[in-house]
Short mmCIF file of all heavy atoms in Angstrom, two decimals:
data_model
loop_
_atom_site.label_atom_id
_atom_site.label_comp_id
_atom_site.label_asym_id
_atom_site.label_seq_id
_atom_site.Cartn_x
_atom_site.Cartn_y
_atom_site.Cartn_z
N GLY U 1 88.36 46.81 171.33
CA GLY U 1 88.18 45.89 172.44
C GLY U 1 86.82 46.07 173.09
O GLY U 1 86.07 46.97 172.74
N THR U 2 86.53 45.20 174.03
CA THR U 2 85.25 45.25 174.72
C THR U 2 85.30 46.30 175.83
O THR U 2 86.22 46.30 176.63
CB THR U 2 84.91 43.88 175.34
OG1 THR U 2 84.93 42.91 174.30
CG2 THR U 2 83.55 43.90 175.97
N LYS U 3 84.33 47.14 175.84
CA LYS U 3 84.24 48.15 176.89
C LYS U 3 83.63 47.52 178.14
O LYS U 3 82.59 46.88 178.06
CB LYS U 3 83.38 49.32 176.40
CG LYS U 3 83.26 50.46 177.39
CD LYS U 3 82.28 51.51 176.87
CE LYS U 3 81.99 52.56 177.92
NZ LYS U 3 80.89 53.42 177.50
N THR U 4 84.31 47.69 179.26
CA THR U 4 83.81 47.12 180.51
C THR U 4 83.67 48.22 181.54
O THR U 4 84.66 48.68 182.11
CB THR U 4 84.78 46.05 181.04
OG1 THR U 4 84.98 45.08 180.01
CG2 THR U 4 84.20 45.37 182.26
N THR U 5 82.46 48.66 181.78
CA THR U 5 82.24 49.61 182.86
C THR U 5 80.98 49.24 183.61
O THR U 5 80.06 48.63 183.06
CB THR U 5 82.09 51.07 182.36
OG1 THR U 5 80.99 51.15 181.47
CG2 THR U 5 83.33 51.57 181.68
N LEU U 6 80.97 49.59 184.87
CA LEU U 6 79.78 49.46 185.72
C LEU U 6 79.45 50.84 186.26
O LEU U 6 80.30 51.74 186.26
CB LEU U 6 80.05 48.52 186.89
CG LEU U 6 80.36 47.06 186.55
CD1 LEU U 6 80.69 46.29 187.83
CD2 LEU U 6 79.19 46.42 185.83
N VAL U 7 78.22 51.01 186.70
CA VAL U 7 77.81 52.27 187.32
C VAL U 7 77.38 51.98 188.75
O VAL U 7 76.56 51.09 188.99
CB VAL U 7 76.66 52.93 186.54
CG1 VAL U 7 76.18 54.18 187.25
CG2 VAL U 7 77.11 53.28 185.13
N GLY U 8 77.96 52.71 189.69
CA GLY U 8 77.60 52.58 191.10
C GLY U 8 76.98 53.86 191.61
O GLY U 8 77.36 54.95 191.17
N GLN U 9 76.04 53.71 192.51
CA GLN U 9 75.42 54.88 193.13
C GLN U 9 75.77 54.91 194.61
O GLN U 9 75.71 53.88 195.29
CB GLN U 9 73.91 54.85 192.93
CG GLN U 9 73.53 55.07 191.46
CD GLN U 9 72.03 55.07 191.26
OE1 GLN U 9 71.34 54.24 191.82
NE2 GLN U 9 71.55 56.00 190.45
N PHE U 10 76.11 56.10 195.08
CA PHE U 10 76.58 56.27 196.45
C PHE U 10 75.87 57.45 197.11
O PHE U 10 75.51 58.41 196.42
CB PHE U 10 78.09 56.56 196.44
CG PHE U 10 78.89 55.51 195.73
CD1 PHE U 10 79.05 55.56 194.34
CD2 PHE U 10 79.43 54.45 196.42
CE1 PHE U 10 79.76 54.57 193.67
CE2 PHE U 10 80.14 53.46 195.76
CZ PHE U 10 80.30 53.51 194.39
N THR U 11 75.69 57.35 198.41
CA THR U 11 75.29 58.55 199.14
C THR U 11 76.55 59.16 199.73
O THR U 11 77.45 58.45 200.18
CB THR U 11 74.28 58.24 200.26
OG1 THR U 11 74.86 57.28 201.14
CG2 THR U 11 72.99 57.69 199.71
N ILE U 12 76.59 60.49 199.68
CA ILE U 12 77.75 61.24 200.15
C ILE U 12 77.26 62.26 201.16
O ILE U 12 76.63 63.27 200.79
CB ILE U 12 78.47 61.93 198.98
CG1 ILE U 12 78.89 60.88 197.95
CG2 ILE U 12 79.67 62.72 199.48
CD1 ILE U 12 79.06 61.42 196.55
N GLY U 13 77.49 61.97 202.42
CA GLY U 13 77.04 62.87 203.49
C GLY U 13 78.10 63.90 203.82
O GLY U 13 79.28 63.64 203.69
N GLY U 14 77.65 65.06 204.26
CA GLY U 14 78.57 66.09 204.73
C GLY U 14 78.88 67.16 203.71
O GLY U 14 79.65 68.07 204.01
N MET U 15 78.29 67.08 202.53
CA MET U 15 78.52 68.14 201.53
C MET U 15 77.55 69.28 201.83
O MET U 15 76.33 69.07 201.94
CB MET U 15 78.24 67.63 200.11
CG MET U 15 79.15 66.51 199.67
SD MET U 15 78.95 66.12 197.92
CE MET U 15 77.24 65.63 197.87
N THR U 16 78.11 70.49 201.96
CA THR U 16 77.26 71.63 202.29
C THR U 16 77.33 72.76 201.28
O THR U 16 76.60 73.75 201.42
CB THR U 16 77.62 72.18 203.68
OG1 THR U 16 79.00 72.49 203.70
CG2 THR U 16 77.31 71.16 204.77
N CYS U 17 78.17 72.65 200.28
CA CYS U 17 78.25 73.73 199.30
C CYS U 17 78.71 73.20 197.95
O CYS U 17 79.13 72.05 197.84
CB CYS U 17 79.20 74.85 199.77
SG CYS U 17 80.93 74.40 199.62
N ALA U 18 78.66 74.07 196.93
CA ALA U 18 79.04 73.65 195.58
C ALA U 18 80.52 73.28 195.51
O ALA U 18 80.90 72.43 194.72
CB ALA U 18 78.73 74.75 194.58
N ALA U 19 81.34 73.91 196.35
CA ALA U 19 82.76 73.56 196.34
C ALA U 19 82.98 72.16 196.86
O ALA U 19 83.89 71.45 196.40
CB ALA U 19 83.55 74.57 197.16
N CYS U 20 82.16 71.74 197.81
CA CYS U 20 82.23 70.36 198.29
C CYS U 20 81.95 69.40 197.13
O CYS U 20 82.63 68.38 196.97
CB CYS U 20 81.18 70.08 199.35
SG CYS U 20 81.33 70.99 200.87
N VAL U 21 80.94 69.72 196.35
CA VAL U 21 80.56 68.87 195.22
C VAL U 21 81.72 68.77 194.24
O VAL U 21 82.09 67.68 193.80
CB VAL U 21 79.30 69.44 194.52
CG1 VAL U 21 79.01 68.68 193.25
CG2 VAL U 21 78.12 69.37 195.48
N ASN U 22 82.31 69.91 193.91
CA ASN U 22 83.44 69.90 192.97
C ASN U 22 84.60 69.10 193.53
O ASN U 22 85.28 68.38 192.80
CB ASN U 22 83.88 71.34 192.68
CG ASN U 22 82.89 72.08 191.82
OD1 ASN U 22 82.13 71.47 191.06
ND2 ASN U 22 82.86 73.40 191.96
N SER U 23 84.82 69.23 194.84
CA SER U 23 85.91 68.50 195.47
C SER U 23 85.69 67.00 195.38
O SER U 23 86.60 66.25 195.01
CB SER U 23 86.00 68.94 196.93
OG SER U 23 86.99 68.21 197.60
N VAL U 24 84.49 66.54 195.70
CA VAL U 24 84.21 65.11 195.67
C VAL U 24 84.28 64.60 194.23
O VAL U 24 84.87 63.54 193.97
CB VAL U 24 82.83 64.81 196.28
CG1 VAL U 24 82.47 63.34 196.09
CG2 VAL U 24 82.82 65.16 197.76
N GLU U 25 83.73 65.35 193.29
CA GLU U 25 83.80 64.92 191.89
C GLU U 25 85.25 64.80 191.43
O GLU U 25 85.62 63.85 190.74
CB GLU U 25 83.05 65.89 190.98
CG GLU U 25 81.54 65.72 191.04
CD GLU U 25 80.80 66.62 190.05
OE1 GLU U 25 81.42 67.55 189.49
OE2 GLU U 25 79.59 66.39 189.87
N GLY U 26 86.07 65.77 191.82
CA GLY U 26 87.47 65.75 191.42
C GLY U 26 88.20 64.55 191.99
O GLY U 26 88.98 63.89 191.30
N ILE U 27 87.94 64.25 193.26
CA ILE U 27 88.58 63.10 193.90
C ILE U 27 88.17 61.81 193.21
O ILE U 27 89.00 60.94 192.94
CB ILE U 27 88.22 63.08 195.40
CG1 ILE U 27 89.00 64.18 196.11
CG2 ILE U 27 88.45 61.72 196.03
CD1 ILE U 27 88.35 64.66 197.38
N LEU U 28 86.89 61.70 192.93
CA LEU U 28 86.41 60.46 192.29
C LEU U 28 86.99 60.30 190.90
O LEU U 28 87.43 59.21 190.52
CB LEU U 28 84.88 60.46 192.23
CG LEU U 28 84.18 60.39 193.60
CD1 LEU U 28 82.68 60.56 193.44
CD2 LEU U 28 84.49 59.08 194.30
N LYS U 29 87.01 61.40 190.13
CA LYS U 29 87.52 61.32 188.76
C LYS U 29 89.00 61.00 188.71
O LYS U 29 89.49 60.49 187.69
CB LYS U 29 87.24 62.63 188.02
CG LYS U 29 85.76 62.82 187.67
CD LYS U 29 85.53 64.20 187.05
CE LYS U 29 84.07 64.42 186.70
NZ LYS U 29 83.80 65.82 186.28
N ASP U 30 89.72 61.32 189.78
CA ASP U 30 91.15 61.04 189.81
C ASP U 30 91.48 59.60 190.17
O ASP U 30 92.62 59.17 190.04
CB ASP U 30 91.85 61.96 190.83
CG ASP U 30 92.10 63.35 190.27
OD1 ASP U 30 91.96 63.53 189.04
OD2 ASP U 30 92.44 64.24 191.05
N LEU U 31 90.49 58.85 190.62
CA LEU U 31 90.75 57.45 191.00
C LEU U 31 91.01 56.61 189.76
O LEU U 31 90.36 56.80 188.72
CB LEU U 31 89.55 56.87 191.75
CG LEU U 31 89.22 57.51 193.10
CD1 LEU U 31 87.90 56.96 193.63
CD2 LEU U 31 90.33 57.27 194.09
N PRO U 32 91.94 55.67 189.85
CA PRO U 32 92.20 54.81 188.71
C PRO U 32 90.95 54.00 188.34
O PRO U 32 90.29 53.44 189.22
CB PRO U 32 93.32 53.89 189.20
CG PRO U 32 93.28 53.98 190.68
CD PRO U 32 92.76 55.34 191.02
N GLY U 33 90.60 54.00 187.09
CA GLY U 33 89.46 53.21 186.63
C GLY U 33 88.15 53.95 186.61
O GLY U 33 87.17 53.43 186.09
N VAL U 34 88.10 55.16 187.18
CA VAL U 34 86.85 55.93 187.17
C VAL U 34 86.75 56.71 185.86
O VAL U 34 87.64 57.50 185.53
CB VAL U 34 86.74 56.87 188.38
CG1 VAL U 34 85.57 57.83 188.23
CG2 VAL U 34 86.59 56.05 189.66
N LYS U 35 85.67 56.48 185.13
CA LYS U 35 85.46 57.11 183.83
C LYS U 35 84.63 58.38 183.96
O LYS U 35 84.76 59.32 183.17
CB LYS U 35 84.74 56.15 182.89
CG LYS U 35 85.39 54.79 182.74
CD LYS U 35 86.61 54.86 181.84
CE LYS U 35 87.30 53.50 181.73
NZ LYS U 35 86.48 52.50 181.07
N ARG U 36 83.72 58.39 184.92
CA ARG U 36 82.75 59.49 185.00
C ARG U 36 82.27 59.55 186.44
O ARG U 36 82.06 58.52 187.08
CB ARG U 36 81.57 59.19 184.08
CG ARG U 36 80.52 60.27 183.98
CD ARG U 36 79.46 59.91 182.92
NE ARG U 36 78.78 58.65 183.23
CZ ARG U 36 77.73 58.58 184.04
NH1 ARG U 36 77.22 59.64 184.59
NH2 ARG U 36 77.17 57.41 184.27
N ALA U 37 82.11 60.77 186.95
CA ALA U 37 81.56 60.95 188.30
C ALA U 37 80.69 62.18 188.32
O ALA U 37 81.11 63.26 187.90
CB ALA U 37 82.68 61.08 189.33
N VAL U 38 79.45 62.01 188.77
CA VAL U 38 78.51 63.12 188.86
C VAL U 38 77.93 63.12 190.28
O VAL U 38 77.44 62.10 190.76
CB VAL U 38 77.37 62.98 187.84
CG1 VAL U 38 76.40 64.15 187.95
CG2 VAL U 38 77.92 62.90 186.43
N VAL U 39 78.03 64.25 190.94
CA VAL U 39 77.59 64.36 192.33
C VAL U 39 76.55 65.47 192.43
O VAL U 39 76.70 66.53 191.84
CB VAL U 39 78.79 64.67 193.25
CG1 VAL U 39 78.34 64.95 194.67
CG2 VAL U 39 79.80 63.53 193.20
N ALA U 40 75.47 65.19 193.18
CA ALA U 40 74.40 66.17 193.36
C ALA U 40 74.30 66.58 194.82
O ALA U 40 74.18 65.74 195.71
CB ALA U 40 73.07 65.59 192.88
N LEU U 41 74.35 67.87 195.04
CA LEU U 41 74.29 68.39 196.41
C LEU U 41 72.90 68.18 197.02
O LEU U 41 72.78 67.77 198.18
CB LEU U 41 74.63 69.89 196.39
CG LEU U 41 74.62 70.63 197.71
CD1 LEU U 41 75.61 70.04 198.70
CD2 LEU U 41 74.92 72.10 197.47
N ALA U 42 71.85 68.45 196.26
CA ALA U 42 70.49 68.44 196.81
C ALA U 42 70.08 67.06 197.32
O ALA U 42 69.36 66.95 198.32
CB ALA U 42 69.50 68.93 195.76
N THR U 43 70.55 66.01 196.63
CA THR U 43 70.15 64.66 197.00
C THR U 43 71.24 63.89 197.76
O THR U 43 70.98 62.77 198.21
CB THR U 43 69.79 63.86 195.73
OG1 THR U 43 70.92 63.88 194.85
CG2 THR U 43 68.59 64.47 195.02
N SER U 44 72.43 64.48 197.86
CA SER U 44 73.58 63.79 198.45
C SER U 44 73.90 62.48 197.74
O SER U 44 74.41 61.54 198.34
CB SER U 44 73.35 63.50 199.95
OG SER U 44 73.25 64.69 200.66
N LEU U 45 73.61 62.44 196.44
CA LEU U 45 73.86 61.23 195.67
C LEU U 45 75.00 61.44 194.69
O LEU U 45 75.16 62.53 194.12
CB LEU U 45 72.62 60.82 194.90
CG LEU U 45 71.50 60.14 195.70
CD1 LEU U 45 70.26 59.96 194.82
CD2 LEU U 45 71.97 58.80 196.24
N GLY U 46 75.75 60.39 194.49
CA GLY U 46 76.79 60.40 193.47
C GLY U 46 76.68 59.17 192.60
O GLY U 46 76.35 58.08 193.07
N GLU U 47 76.94 59.38 191.31
CA GLU U 47 76.94 58.26 190.38
C GLU U 47 78.32 58.18 189.75
O GLU U 47 78.84 59.18 189.26
CB GLU U 47 75.87 58.47 189.31
CG GLU U 47 75.66 57.26 188.42
CD GLU U 47 74.43 57.44 187.56
OE1 GLU U 47 73.32 57.11 188.03
OE2 GLU U 47 74.57 57.91 186.42
N VAL U 48 78.88 56.98 189.78
CA VAL U 48 80.25 56.79 189.32
C VAL U 48 80.29 55.65 188.32
O VAL U 48 79.83 54.54 188.61
CB VAL U 48 81.19 56.48 190.50
CG1 VAL U 48 82.63 56.28 190.01
CG2 VAL U 48 81.14 57.59 191.55
N GLU U 49 80.84 55.93 187.16
CA GLU U 49 81.06 54.89 186.16
C GLU U 49 82.52 54.46 186.25
O GLU U 49 83.42 55.30 186.23
CB GLU U 49 80.74 55.43 184.76
CG GLU U 49 80.89 54.38 183.67
CD GLU U 49 80.53 54.93 182.30
OE1 GLU U 49 80.15 56.11 182.20
OE2 GLU U 49 80.65 54.17 181.33
N TYR U 50 82.74 53.16 186.36
CA TYR U 50 84.10 52.68 186.64
C TYR U 50 84.36 51.35 185.96
O TYR U 50 83.44 50.60 185.62
CB TYR U 50 84.31 52.57 188.16
CG TYR U 50 83.42 51.55 188.82
CD1 TYR U 50 83.87 50.26 189.09
CD2 TYR U 50 82.10 51.87 189.15
CE1 TYR U 50 83.05 49.32 189.69
CE2 TYR U 50 81.26 50.93 189.74
CZ TYR U 50 81.75 49.65 190.00
OH TYR U 50 80.93 48.72 190.58
N ASP U 51 85.65 51.08 185.82
CA ASP U 51 86.11 49.80 185.27
C ASP U 51 86.33 48.84 186.44
O ASP U 51 87.23 49.07 187.27
CB ASP U 51 87.41 50.03 184.51
CG ASP U 51 87.96 48.76 183.89
OD1 ASP U 51 87.55 47.65 184.30
OD2 ASP U 51 88.83 48.88 183.01
N PRO U 52 85.53 47.78 186.55
CA PRO U 52 85.64 46.87 187.69
C PRO U 52 86.94 46.09 187.74
O PRO U 52 87.26 45.47 188.75
CB PRO U 52 84.43 45.94 187.52
CG PRO U 52 84.13 45.98 186.07
CD PRO U 52 84.49 47.37 185.61
N ASN U 53 87.71 46.14 186.65
CA ASN U 53 89.02 45.50 186.67
C ASN U 53 90.04 46.35 187.43
O ASN U 53 91.10 45.85 187.82
CB ASN U 53 89.53 45.26 185.25
CG ASN U 53 88.65 44.28 184.50
OD1 ASN U 53 88.46 43.16 184.94
ND2 ASN U 53 88.09 44.72 183.39
N LEU U 54 89.73 47.64 187.62
CA LEU U 54 90.69 48.56 188.24
C LEU U 54 90.27 49.06 189.61
O LEU U 54 91.12 49.47 190.41
CB LEU U 54 90.92 49.77 187.31
CG LEU U 54 91.56 49.45 185.96
CD1 LEU U 54 91.63 50.70 185.10
CD2 LEU U 54 92.95 48.86 186.16
N ILE U 55 88.97 49.05 189.89
CA ILE U 55 88.50 49.61 191.16
C ILE U 55 87.15 48.98 191.47
O ILE U 55 86.45 48.53 190.55
CB ILE U 55 88.41 51.17 191.07
CG1 ILE U 55 88.28 51.80 192.45
CG2 ILE U 55 87.29 51.61 190.13
CD1 ILE U 55 88.52 53.31 192.45
N ASN U 56 86.80 48.93 192.76
CA ASN U 56 85.49 48.40 193.12
C ASN U 56 84.71 49.39 193.97
O ASN U 56 85.22 50.47 194.32
CB ASN U 56 85.62 47.03 193.81
CG ASN U 56 86.37 47.11 195.12
OD1 ASN U 56 86.21 48.06 195.88
ND2 ASN U 56 87.19 46.10 195.39
N LYS U 57 83.49 49.04 194.29
CA LYS U 57 82.62 49.98 195.00
C LYS U 57 83.16 50.31 196.39
O LYS U 57 83.05 51.45 196.85
CB LYS U 57 81.21 49.39 195.11
CG LYS U 57 80.48 49.37 193.77
CD LYS U 57 79.10 48.74 193.90
CE LYS U 57 78.36 48.77 192.56
NZ LYS U 57 77.05 48.11 192.65
N ASP U 58 83.74 49.33 197.05
CA ASP U 58 84.29 49.59 198.38
C ASP U 58 85.45 50.58 198.31
O ASP U 58 85.60 51.42 199.20
CB ASP U 58 84.75 48.29 199.04
CG ASP U 58 83.59 47.41 199.49
OD1 ASP U 58 82.48 47.95 199.70
OD2 ASP U 58 83.80 46.20 199.64
N ASP U 59 86.26 50.48 197.26
CA ASP U 59 87.36 51.43 197.09
C ASP U 59 86.81 52.85 196.92
O ASP U 59 87.40 53.82 197.42
CB ASP U 59 88.17 51.10 195.83
CG ASP U 59 88.89 49.76 195.91
OD1 ASP U 59 89.28 49.36 197.01
OD2 ASP U 59 89.05 49.12 194.84
N ILE U 60 85.71 52.96 196.21
CA ILE U 60 85.12 54.28 195.96
C ILE U 60 84.56 54.86 197.26
O ILE U 60 84.76 56.04 197.57
CB ILE U 60 84.04 54.18 194.86
CG1 ILE U 60 84.72 53.83 193.52
CG2 ILE U 60 83.26 55.50 194.74
CD1 ILE U 60 83.76 53.43 192.41
N VAL U 61 83.89 54.01 198.06
CA VAL U 61 83.40 54.46 199.37
C VAL U 61 84.56 54.92 200.24
O VAL U 61 84.49 55.97 200.90
CB VAL U 61 82.60 53.34 200.07
CG1 VAL U 61 82.32 53.70 201.52
CG2 VAL U 61 81.29 53.08 199.33
N THR U 62 85.65 54.15 200.22
CA THR U 62 86.82 54.50 201.02
C THR U 62 87.39 55.85 200.59
O THR U 62 87.78 56.67 201.44
CB THR U 62 87.90 53.41 200.90
OG1 THR U 62 87.36 52.19 201.42
CG2 THR U 62 89.15 53.77 201.67
N ALA U 63 87.43 56.12 199.29
CA ALA U 63 87.95 57.39 198.79
C ALA U 63 87.07 58.55 199.25
O ALA U 63 87.58 59.63 199.60
CB ALA U 63 88.04 57.37 197.27
N ILE U 64 85.76 58.34 199.27
CA ILE U 64 84.85 59.38 199.76
C ILE U 64 85.11 59.66 201.24
O ILE U 64 85.19 60.82 201.67
CB ILE U 64 83.39 58.95 199.52
CG1 ILE U 64 83.08 58.88 198.02
CG2 ILE U 64 82.42 59.91 200.23
CD1 ILE U 64 81.77 58.16 197.68
N GLU U 65 85.28 58.58 202.00
CA GLU U 65 85.55 58.72 203.44
C GLU U 65 86.90 59.41 203.68
O GLU U 65 87.01 60.28 204.55
CB GLU U 65 85.56 57.34 204.10
CG GLU U 65 84.22 56.62 204.07
CD GLU U 65 83.30 57.04 205.22
OE1 GLU U 65 83.83 57.50 206.25
OE2 GLU U 65 82.08 56.88 205.07
N ASP U 66 87.91 59.03 202.90
CA ASP U 66 89.24 59.62 203.07
C ASP U 66 89.23 61.11 202.76
O ASP U 66 90.08 61.86 203.26
CB ASP U 66 90.25 58.92 202.16
CG ASP U 66 90.62 57.53 202.65
OD1 ASP U 66 90.24 57.18 203.79
OD2 ASP U 66 91.27 56.79 201.90
N ALA U 67 88.28 61.54 201.92
CA ALA U 67 88.17 62.96 201.58
C ALA U 67 87.43 63.74 202.67
O ALA U 67 87.25 64.95 202.57
CB ALA U 67 87.46 63.12 200.24
N GLY U 68 86.96 63.04 203.71
CA GLY U 68 86.31 63.72 204.82
C GLY U 68 84.80 63.74 204.77
O GLY U 68 84.17 64.45 205.56
N PHE U 69 84.24 62.95 203.87
CA PHE U 69 82.78 62.88 203.76
C PHE U 69 82.32 61.49 204.19
O PHE U 69 83.11 60.58 204.41
CB PHE U 69 82.35 63.20 202.32
CG PHE U 69 82.74 64.58 201.89
CD1 PHE U 69 83.95 64.81 201.25
CD2 PHE U 69 81.91 65.67 202.15
CE1 PHE U 69 84.32 66.10 200.87
CE2 PHE U 69 82.29 66.95 201.78
CZ PHE U 69 83.48 67.17 201.14
N GLU U 70 81.01 61.35 204.31
CA GLU U 70 80.46 60.05 204.72
C GLU U 70 79.92 59.36 203.47
O GLU U 70 78.91 59.78 202.91
CB GLU U 70 79.34 60.26 205.74
CG GLU U 70 79.82 60.89 207.05
CD GLU U 70 78.88 61.95 207.56
OE1 GLU U 70 77.67 61.87 207.31
OE2 GLU U 70 79.39 62.89 208.19
N GLY U 71 80.60 58.32 203.08
CA GLY U 71 80.19 57.61 201.87
C GLY U 71 79.52 56.30 202.20
O GLY U 71 79.92 55.61 203.14
N SER U 72 78.48 55.98 201.43
CA SER U 72 77.91 54.64 201.55
C SER U 72 77.33 54.22 200.20
O SER U 72 77.00 55.05 199.35
CB SER U 72 76.85 54.57 202.65
OG SER U 72 75.82 55.48 202.39
N LEU U 73 77.22 52.92 200.07
CA LEU U 73 76.75 52.33 198.83
C LEU U 73 75.23 52.35 198.80
O LEU U 73 74.58 52.00 199.78
CB LEU U 73 77.27 50.90 198.79
CG LEU U 73 77.30 50.13 197.49
CD1 LEU U 73 78.01 50.92 196.41
CD2 LEU U 73 78.03 48.82 197.76
N VAL U 74 74.64 52.78 197.70
CA VAL U 74 73.18 52.77 197.59
C VAL U 74 72.69 51.36 197.31
O VAL U 74 71.70 50.91 197.89
CB VAL U 74 72.70 53.75 196.50
CG1 VAL U 74 71.22 53.58 196.23
CG2 VAL U 74 72.99 55.18 196.93
N GLN U 75 73.37 50.67 196.40
CA GLN U 75 72.94 49.30 196.08
C GLN U 75 74.09 48.52 195.50
O GLN U 75 75.10 49.06 195.15
CB GLN U 75 71.78 49.32 195.09
CG GLN U 75 72.13 50.05 193.80
CD GLN U 75 70.92 50.19 192.89
OE1 GLN U 75 69.81 49.79 193.24
NE2 GLN U 75 71.14 50.76 191.74
MO1 9UX C 101 83.15 75.43 201.76
MO2 9UX C 101 81.86 72.95 201.28
O1 9UX C 101 84.47 75.44 203.02
O2 9UX C 101 82.53 72.05 202.68
S1 9UX C 101 83.85 73.55 200.53
S2 9UX C 101 81.25 74.45 202.77
#
């Protein structure tokens, strides 16, 4: 079948340690439709590959916020 994924970039505020990074990555990877999530502490940036049929960028921002961090869409 046809592979359908998009990549979104997010800023994630409030991460202060490597455990925070692992926590955010784990939360993102557990979301339905998320194929890949990479989070960087130094830049407060996260990149998420997702299936737009199952989840959208606003859902991903909401999940970041629900985890106690400040999420926003880069573009
Ligand atoms: Mo350790 Mo990162 O409590 O919030 S997980 S600083």
Side-chain angles (χ1 to χ4, degrees):
T2 303
K3 182 185 172 190
T4 305
T5 60
L6 296 177
V7 176
Q9 291 181 318
F10 304 85
T11 57
I12 302 155
M15 297 189 299
T16 55
C17 75
C20 296
V21 173
N22 289 334
S23 176
V24 173
E25 283 184 347
I27 286 155
L28 294 174
K29 288 175 180 172
D30 280 348
L31 295 172
V34 170
K35 306 284 178 65
R36 184 174 60 85
V38 180
V39 174
L41 180 60
T43 56
S44 296
L45 284 172
E47 189 170 274
V48 180
E49 182 178 359
Y50 64 97
D51 181 342
N53 296 303
L54 296 176
I55 195 166
N56 63 39
K57 289 178 178 178
D58 287 338
D59 295 328
I60 293 169
V61 169
T62 298
I64 294 167
E65 295 276 336
D66 286 350
F69 298 92
E70 296 137 30
S72 59
L73 197 52
V74 171
Q75 58 186 3

